Amino acid sequence: RAKENGKNTFHFYAAENNSHSVELLALENSLRRALERNEFVVHYQAKVDLQTQQIIGAEALLRWQHPELGLLSPIHFISLAEETGLIIDIGAWVMQESCKQARRWQTVSADIIRVAVNLSARQFREDGLKDVIADALEDSGLSAGCLELEITESMIMQNAERASDVLQHFRDLGAHVLIDDFGTGYSSLSYLKQFPIDALKIDRSFVRDIPHDADDMAITSAVIAMAKSLNMRVVAEGVETASQLKFLASKGCDQMQGFIFSEPISSDDFYDLLKSVNVARRLNSKMIQDAQ
Ligand code: C2E
Ligand code: MG
Ligand code: MG
Ligand code: MG
């Protein structure tokens, strides 16, 4: 197993390797301190509904404002947080912060704006998760219908019985469940259908090479068609170009997320974006109606 891994990644089983352990410990300590020092920030990336062309919500994406290294993407620290268990506290903080910000956005838009929070495998296994979510909703005053939870196929497959219970709890609350990175795991739609799931997010790797890769296009349109027949919404992630947008729209994709609309931005910037885009559009359509 060790052989397969690149030299530059951390190996948690390589405790006998001293330099690694020391480095790891230092990183673990700074990750622990980051929470106390408020070095984590959440950025938000717009989700756009194709039918209405409105922003209907945003995905919360964690960043670490590192004092020396600058703004770090979660790919650099999420797996360490997961291995050390720090993800439990970090995840609870992300949930609190995201719900609080989403509650604030509701004031700028007459539409309901949702926030989507990514859950990690460890969080999903913890008994405390239900309370973390209940507390975040209560403290923020956000309604559960405005909360989306993004999980992966493997989190369900690791313990299907438990996943059933947790997902049903989310459904009963009124929150929405999305399968993130769909297509990269080994589950099938017919298997996932047994669980209370609202939507699939087609992984960016299938979107990236549209319209050049015929296989990716075939897979994408098949997934959209099957999801729709099972009454699941479909969200495409990583949409960057007009031709990707056009293709996905022609296949009936419901929502999109990607740099073509917006990169992940601060909550304040997202608030301004909502104000300028959604309000302007509503004013425009009202002006059009009035003119007719
Ligand atoms: P994800 O949930 O699949 O999030 C989508 C990733 O794609 C984000 O990367 C986003 O910035 C990036 N992205 C969005 N649109 C585009 C595009 O058009 N082009 C390209 N090239 N990239 C795009 P990011 O923010 O680096 O996050 C990486 C992963 O880290 C996330 O993947 C998610 O699995 C994880 N993550 C992020 N925030 C959290 C969190 O709060 N908790 C947990 N457990 N995991 C998180
Ligand atoms: Mg996600
Ligand atoms: Mg994803
Ligand atoms: Mg992804």
Side-chain angles (χ1 to χ4, degrees), residues 148-209:
E148 295 185 329
L149 301 161
E150 297 197 2
I151 63 168
T152 59
E153 295 161 69
S154 61
M155 284 157 63
I156 292 182
M157 292 171 82
Q158 269 163 22
N159 187 344
E161 206 176 313
R162 195 184 144 72
S164 258
D165 167 67
V166 176
L167 296 184
Q168 190 57 48
H169 172 79
F170 295 159
R171 165 84 36 110
D172 294 344
L173 266 183
H176 310 271
V177 174
L178 281 69
I179 301 296
D180 206 350
D181 307 331
F182 182 75
T184 59
Y186 296 96
S187 62
S188 64
L189 265 181
S190 56
Y191 173 77
L192 289 179
K193 183 54 193 161
Q194 328 163 42
F195 301 92
I197 291 162
D198 300 282
L200 299 179
K201 291 185 81 173
I202 298 178
D203 191 65
R204 180 154 55 93
S205 60
F206 298 105
V207 173
R208 190 182 48 217
D209 298 327

Side-chain angles (χ1 to χ4, degrees), residues 107-281:
T107 60
V108 78
S109 173
D111 303 313
I112 286 163
I113 302 296
R114 292 182 183 179
V115 70
V117 178
N118 291 284
L119 298 180
S120 80
R122 186 129 175 191
Q123 257 181 307
F124 195 69
R125 282 200 304 266
E126 285 282 314
D127 285 330
L129 178 61
K130 290 176 182 174
D131 286 339
V132 164
I133 292 172
D135 289 348
L137 291 172
E138 197 190 316
D139 294 349
S140 63
L142 187 75
S143 88
C146 294
L147 180 62
E148 295 185 329
L149 301 161
E150 297 197 2
I151 63 168
T152 59
E153 295 161 69
S154 61
M155 284 157 63
I156 292 182
M157 292 171 82
Q158 269 163 22
N159 187 344
E161 206 176 313
R162 195 184 144 72
S164 258
D165 167 67
V166 176
L167 296 184
Q168 190 57 48
H169 172 79
F170 295 159
R171 165 84 36 110
D172 294 344
L173 266 183
H176 310 271
V177 174
L178 281 69
I179 301 296
D180 206 350
D181 307 331
F182 182 75
T184 59
Y186 296 96
S187 62
S188 64
L189 265 181
S190 56
Y191 173 77
L192 289 179
K193 183 54 193 161
Q194 328 163 42
F195 301 92
I197 291 162
D198 300 282
L200 299 179
K201 291 185 81 173
I202 298 178
D203 191 65
R204 180 154 55 93
S205 60
F206 298 105
V207 173
R208 190 182 48 217
D209 298 327
I210 295 172
H212 309 293
D213 189 315
D215 291 343
D216 287 349
M217 291 165 84
I219 292 167
T220 301
S221 52
V223 168
I224 294 172
M226 278 193 292
K228 304 217 99 172
S229 71
L230 296 173
N231 283 320
M232 290 186 197
R233 262 185 303 135
V234 186
V235 187
E237 62 177 20
V239 182
E240 294 183 356
T241 70
S243 57
Q244 290 166 350
L245 193 158
K246 230 171 119 184
F247 175 80
L248 292 160
S250 75
K251 297 299 173 190
C253 184
D254 301 292
Q255 292 166 9
M256 289 189 196
Q257 216 183 313
F259 294 169
I260 190 169
F261 300 110
S262 172
E263 292 192 11
I265 52 182
S266 73
S267 179
D268 284 349
D269 286 348
F270 185 71
Y271 184 96
D272 290 342
L273 184 70
L274 275 179
K275 207 151 78 175
S276 63
V277 176
N278 283 2
V279 174
R281 188 176 296 278

Side-chain angles (χ1 to χ4, degrees), residues 6 12 28 37 52 57 75 82 85 87-88 94 110 138 145 211 215 222 239 244 263 274 284-285 290:
F12 302 99
E28 186 183 333
R37 294 181 181 174
T52 62
I75 53 167
E82 180 90 17
I87 193 70
I88 299 299
V94 172
E138 197 190 316
D215 291 343
V239 182
Q244 290 166 350
E263 292 192 11
L274 275 179
N284 279 342
S285 53
D290 288 351

